[in-house]
Coordinates of all heavy atoms in Angstrom, one line a residue:
A104 N -4.2 0.9 -8.8 CA -4.6 1.1 -10.3 C -4.6 -0.2 -11.0 O -5.4 -0.4 -11.8 CB -3.5 2.1 -10.8
D105 N -3.6 -1.1 -10.7 CA -3.6 -2.3 -11.5 C -4.9 -3.2 -11.2 O -5.4 -3.8 -12.1 CB -2.3 -3.2 -11.1 CG -1.1 -2.6 -11.7 OD1 -1.1 -1.7 -12.6 OD2 0.0 -3.0 -11.2
Y106 N -5.2 -3.2 -9.9 CA -6.5 -4.1 -9.5 C -7.6 -3.4 -10.2 O -8.5 -4.2 -10.8 CB -6.7 -4.0 -8.1 CG -5.8 -4.9 -7.2 CD1 -5.2 -4.5 -5.9 CD2 -5.4 -6.2 -7.7 CE1 -4.5 -5.4 -5.2 CE2 -4.6 -7.0 -7.0 CZ -4.1 -6.6 -5.7 OH -3.3 -7.4 -5.0
S107 N -7.7 -2.1 -10.2 CA -8.9 -1.5 -10.8 C -8.9 -1.7 -12.4 O -10.0 -2.0 -13.0 CB -8.8 0.0 -10.6 OG -9.9 0.7 -11.2
H108 N -7.8 -1.6 -12.9 CA -7.7 -1.9 -14.4 C -8.0 -3.3 -14.8 O -8.8 -3.6 -15.7 CB -6.3 -1.6 -14.9 CG -6.1 -1.8 -16.4 ND1 -6.7 -0.9 -17.3 CD2 -5.5 -2.8 -17.1 CE1 -6.4 -1.3 -18.5 NE2 -5.7 -2.4 -18.4
Q109 N -7.6 -4.3 -14.0 CA -8.0 -5.7 -14.2 C -9.5 -5.9 -14.0 O -10.2 -6.6 -14.7 CB -7.2 -6.6 -13.3 CG -5.8 -6.7 -13.5 CD -5.0 -7.5 -12.3 OE1 -5.7 -8.2 -11.6 NE2 -3.7 -7.3 -12.2
A110 N -10.0 -5.3 -13.0 CA -11.5 -5.4 -12.7 C -12.3 -4.9 -13.9 O -13.3 -5.4 -14.3 CB -11.9 -4.6 -11.5
V111 N -11.8 -3.8 -14.5 CA -12.6 -3.2 -15.6 C -12.5 -4.1 -16.9 O -13.5 -4.3 -17.5 CB -12.1 -1.8 -16.0 CG1 -12.6 -1.3 -17.3 CG2 -12.3 -0.7 -14.9
Q112 N -11.4 -4.7 -17.0 CA -11.2 -5.7 -18.1 C -12.1 -6.9 -18.1 O -12.6 -7.4 -19.1 CB -9.8 -6.1 -18.3 CG -8.8 -5.1 -18.7 CD -7.4 -5.5 -18.8 OE1 -6.9 -6.4 -18.0 NE2 -6.7 -5.1 -19.8
I113 N -12.4 -7.4 -16.8 CA -13.2 -8.6 -16.7 C -14.7 -8.3 -16.3 O -15.4 -9.2 -16.0 CB -12.6 -9.6 -15.7 CG1 -12.6 -9.0 -14.3 CG2 -11.2 -10.0 -16.2 CD1 -12.3 -10.0 -13.2
F114 N -15.0 -7.1 -16.3 CA -16.4 -6.7 -15.8 C -17.5 -7.4 -16.5 O -18.4 -7.9 -15.8 CB -16.6 -5.1 -16.1 CG -18.0 -4.7 -15.6 CD1 -18.2 -4.5 -14.3 CD2 -19.0 -4.3 -16.5 CE1 -19.4 -4.0 -13.9 CE2 -20.2 -3.9 -16.1 CZ -20.5 -3.7 -14.8
D115 N -17.5 -7.6 -17.8 CA -18.5 -8.2 -18.5 C -18.5 -9.8 -18.4 O -19.6 -10.5 -18.5 CB -18.5 -7.9 -20.0 CG -18.9 -6.4 -20.3 OD1 -19.7 -5.9 -19.4 OD2 -18.4 -5.9 -21.2
F116 N -17.3 -10.3 -18.1 CA -17.2 -11.7 -18.0 C -17.3 -12.4 -16.7 O -17.7 -13.6 -16.6 CB -15.8 -12.1 -18.6 CG -15.5 -11.5 -20.0 CD1 -14.6 -10.5 -20.1 CD2 -16.3 -11.9 -21.1 CE1 -14.5 -9.9 -21.2 CE2 -16.0 -11.3 -22.3 CZ -15.1 -10.2 -22.4
D117 N -16.8 -11.7 -15.6 CA -16.8 -12.3 -14.3 C -17.1 -11.3 -13.2 O -16.2 -10.7 -12.6 CB -15.4 -12.9 -14.1 CG -15.4 -13.9 -12.9 OD1 -16.4 -13.8 -12.1 OD2 -14.4 -14.6 -12.7
P118 N -18.4 -11.0 -13.0 CA -18.8 -10.0 -12.0 C -18.3 -10.3 -10.5 O -18.0 -9.3 -9.8 CB -20.3 -9.9 -12.1 CG -20.7 -11.1 -12.9 CD -19.5 -11.7 -13.6
V119 N -18.2 -11.6 -10.2 CA -17.7 -11.9 -8.9 C -16.2 -11.5 -8.7 O -15.8 -10.9 -7.7 CB -17.9 -13.4 -8.6 CG1 -17.3 -13.8 -7.2 CG2 -19.4 -13.7 -8.6
Q120 N -15.4 -11.9 -9.7 CA -14.0 -11.5 -9.7 C -13.8 -10.0 -9.8 O -13.0 -9.5 -9.1 CB -13.3 -12.3 -10.8 CG -11.8 -12.0 -10.7 CD -11.1 -12.6 -9.6 OE1 -11.6 -13.5 -8.8 NE2 -9.9 -12.2 -9.3
N121 N -14.7 -9.4 -10.6 CA -14.6 -8.0 -10.7 C -14.8 -7.3 -9.4 O -14.1 -6.3 -9.0 CB -15.7 -7.5 -11.7 CG -15.9 -5.9 -11.6 OD1 -16.7 -5.5 -10.9 ND2 -15.2 -5.3 -12.5
R122 N -15.8 -7.7 -8.6 CA -16.1 -7.1 -7.3 C -14.9 -7.4 -6.3 O -14.5 -6.5 -5.6 CB -17.3 -7.8 -6.7 CG -17.7 -7.2 -5.4 CD -19.0 -7.8 -4.9 NE -20.1 -7.6 -5.7 CZ -21.0 -6.6 -5.7 NH1 -20.8 -5.6 -4.7 NH2 -22.0 -6.4 -6.5
A123 N -14.3 -8.5 -6.4 CA -13.1 -8.9 -5.5 C -12.0 -8.0 -5.9 O -11.3 -7.5 -5.0 CB -12.7 -10.4 -5.7

Side-chain angles (χ1 to χ4, degrees):
D105 288 345
Y106 285 143
S107 180
H108 182 71
Q109 290 172 21
V111 168
Q112 288 180 326
I113 65 165
F114 179 76
D115 292 330
F116 309 109
D117 191 349
V119 173
Q120 184 65 18
N121 170 271
R122 183 178 299 270

